[in-house]
């Protein structure tokens, strides 16, 4: 009947709009849907009220240094904008200039400078300004100064027959904890309770032998990941679409156990119903989509693997300079600033 046909068509269209389907040899429905006229009979024009009703953010897991949250009701372009801003446009402080007064270690000056640059510095970038282009000398508002001065010597108390470097040498391992903050100008008054230091104390910078020494001064400045990866505030910032697994018909007994093994642990559970072991999707979110199920002839037509198109699972892992929730809110502010700048630009351009 025409009604049944119309309903079937609607069902197919709904699937195209809402799901990315993973087949055996490819992925279907990957195009974006966020513009009108794409599907007959659907009003996909942008509407703020409708967006506000549908959009939500759920925080799933928050640990020190890591945050997992869901953003539901947005398009891939917006999700990707957040990811890229987190990676490349949220500023941090990092070592930019290294003044080498003495370095008799085996590590060359430029390698040492590079290693020092990559050490995350626990300093809130919001307290500082960007340094002006061509500025050689730093000032208290745009620069943090650290000193690393260490010399290796023999340990007179060591046992004669010992060959363990940790016993026979003193200061032979140079760690990030040996970096000390040297206040510039009036920084002691500006930051009375500041604790500027490397995020981790146990980063190994170099190995020394008796008589070798390192004496360097470092200038940390504010920068963004676009200019150099050392300024990136995140170890990783990524997103994936929410998995959606549907069993198209009952899967029982041996087939159920085989099916369970095809997915990540916790995705499929087996229930006892009237003496039969029946498979059920317990938590699709845990699946990594290895598509193992397609290798089994008897199972591959019983399951539909898909991803929910507008449900993004973000994971943000901070390097420890700022907590991940602060990074996300800073990224949102930066995106808002970009939008504002774009609107101002549109206003300022005279219309023809």
């Amino acid at each position: 009947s025409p009604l049944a046909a119309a309903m079937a068509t609607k069902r197919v269209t709904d699937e195209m709009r809402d799901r990315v389907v993973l087949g055996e040899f490819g992925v279907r429905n990957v195009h974006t849907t966020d513009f009108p006229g794409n599907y007959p009979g659907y009003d996909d024009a942008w509407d703020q009220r409708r967006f506000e009703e549908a959009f939500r953010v759920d925080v799933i897991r928050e640990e020190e240094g890591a945050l997992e949250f869901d953003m539901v009701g947005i398009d891939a372009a917006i999700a990707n904008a957040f990811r890229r801003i987190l990676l490349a446009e949220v500023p941090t402080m990092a070592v930019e200039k290294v003044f080498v007064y003495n370095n008799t270690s085996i590590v060359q000056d430029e390698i040492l400078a590079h290693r020092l640059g990559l050490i995350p510095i626990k300093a809130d970038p919001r307290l500082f300004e960007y340094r002006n282009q061509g500025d050689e000398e730093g000032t208290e508002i745009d620069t943090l100064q650290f000193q690393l001065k260490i010399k290796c010597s023999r340990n007179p108390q060591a046992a004669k027959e010992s060959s363990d470097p940790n016993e026979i040498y003193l200061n032979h391992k140079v760690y990030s904890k040996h970096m000390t903050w040297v206040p510039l100008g009036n920084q002691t008054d500006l930051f009375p309770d500041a604790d500027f230091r490397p995020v981790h104390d146990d980063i190994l910078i170099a190995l020394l032998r008796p008589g070798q020494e390192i004496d360097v001064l470092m200038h940390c400045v504010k920068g963004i990941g676009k200019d150099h990866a050392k300024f990136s505030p995140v170890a990783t910032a990524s997103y994936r679409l929410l998995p959606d697994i549907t069993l198209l018909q009952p899967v029982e007994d041996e087939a159920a156990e085989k099916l369970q093994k095809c997915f990540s642990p916790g995705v499929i559970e087996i229930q006892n119903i009237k003496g039969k072991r029946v498979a059920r999707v317990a938590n699709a979110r845990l699946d990594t989509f290895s598509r193992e199920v397609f290798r089994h002839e008897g199972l591959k037509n019983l399951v539909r693997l898909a991803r929910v198109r507008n449900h993004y699972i973000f994971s943000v892992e901070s390097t420890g300079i700022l907590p991940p929730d602060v990074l996300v809110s800073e990224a949102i502010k930066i995106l808002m600033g970009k939008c504002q700048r774009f609107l101002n630009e549109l206003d300022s351009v005279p219309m023809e």
Side-chain angles (χ1 to χ4, degrees), residues 41-57:
Y42 286 92
D43 176 20
D44 281 324
W46 167 258
D47 176 57
Q48 185 157 349
R49 188 186 55 80
R50 200 166 57 203
F51 170 76
E52 284 173 12
E53 282 170 9
F55 179 71
R56 67 173 207 273
V57 175

Side-chain angles (χ1 to χ4, degrees), residues 48-270:
Q48 185 157 349
R49 188 186 55 80
R50 200 166 57 203
F51 170 76
E52 284 173 12
E53 282 170 9
F55 179 71
R56 67 173 207 273
V57 175
D58 306 327
V59 175
I60 305 297
R61 187 171 52 86
E62 190 170 1
E63 295 162 10
E64 197 189 354
L67 174 70
E68 185 180 319
F69 64 96
D70 289 8
M71 263 193 189
V72 187
I74 53 169
D75 190 56
I78 308 291
N80 201 36
F82 281 124
R83 183 188 69 83
R84 291 184 57 162
I85 289 171
L86 280 165
L87 286 168
E89 294 187 54
V90 176
T92 63
M93 301 290 285
V95 173
E96 174 74 7
K97 275 196 159 65
V98 178
F99 302 94
V100 182
Y101 292 101
N102 198 358
N103 173 22
T104 53
S105 74
I106 198 168
V107 182
Q108 297 101 317
D109 293 358
E110 55 271 42
I111 304 288
L112 181 66
H114 180 255
R115 288 177 75 84
L116 293 168
L118 294 174
I119 293 172
I121 304 292
K122 186 91 176 158
D124 192 331
R126 294 169 293 183
L127 302 172
F128 296 90
E129 302 292 326
Y130 287 102
R131 193 193 269 198
N132 292 328
Q133 208 96 40
D135 241 358
E136 286 303 312
E137 295 297 313
T139 63
E140 61 268 11
I141 58 163
D142 60 26
T143 305
L144 270 180
Q145 186 169 261
F146 284 89
Q147 186 179 37
L148 174 62
K149 192 171 183 175
I150 189 165
K151 186 170 185 174
C152 177
S153 57
R154 290 190 182 277
N155 181 6
Q157 267 87 48
K160 282 275 184 289
E161 63 283 349
S162 173
S163 62
D164 180 5
N166 293 319
E167 277 181 36
I168 58 177
Y169 305 137
L170 296 172
N171 284 341
H172 85 112
K173 284 184 172 174
V174 184
Y175 285 111
S176 49
K177 67 180 175 202
H178 296 125
M179 290 167 61
T180 51
W181 174 45
V182 182
L184 276 173
N186 62 347
Q187 281 182 338
T188 4
D189 308 328
L190 278 176
F191 313 112
D193 46 4
D195 178 22
F196 297 128
R197 57 184 176 81
V199 172
H200 305 285
D201 286 338
D202 56 354
I203 299 173
L204 186 64
I205 298 169
L207 291 175
L208 302 179
R209 284 295 175 262
Q212 295 183 352
E213 64 177 302
I214 288 177
D215 179 5
V216 297
L217 262 186
M218 291 159 264
H219 280 183
C220 295
V221 302
K222 184 172 172 175
I224 57 175
K226 254 186 194 173
D227 298 328
H228 195 296
K230 68 186 174 190
F231 292 114
S232 186
V234 290
T236 62
S238 61
Y239 60 78
R240 61 194 179 101
L241 290 172
L242 178 75
D244 173 50
I245 298 167
T246 317
L247 298 182
L248 303 174
Q249 59 191 74
V251 182
E252 295 168 353
D253 300 333
E254 275 171 37
E257 284 174 14
K258 208 171 180 186
L259 184 75
Q260 189 179 36
K261 290 194 180 111
C262 289
F263 293 95
S264 304
V267 176
I268 303 284
E269 70 174 15
I270 294 176

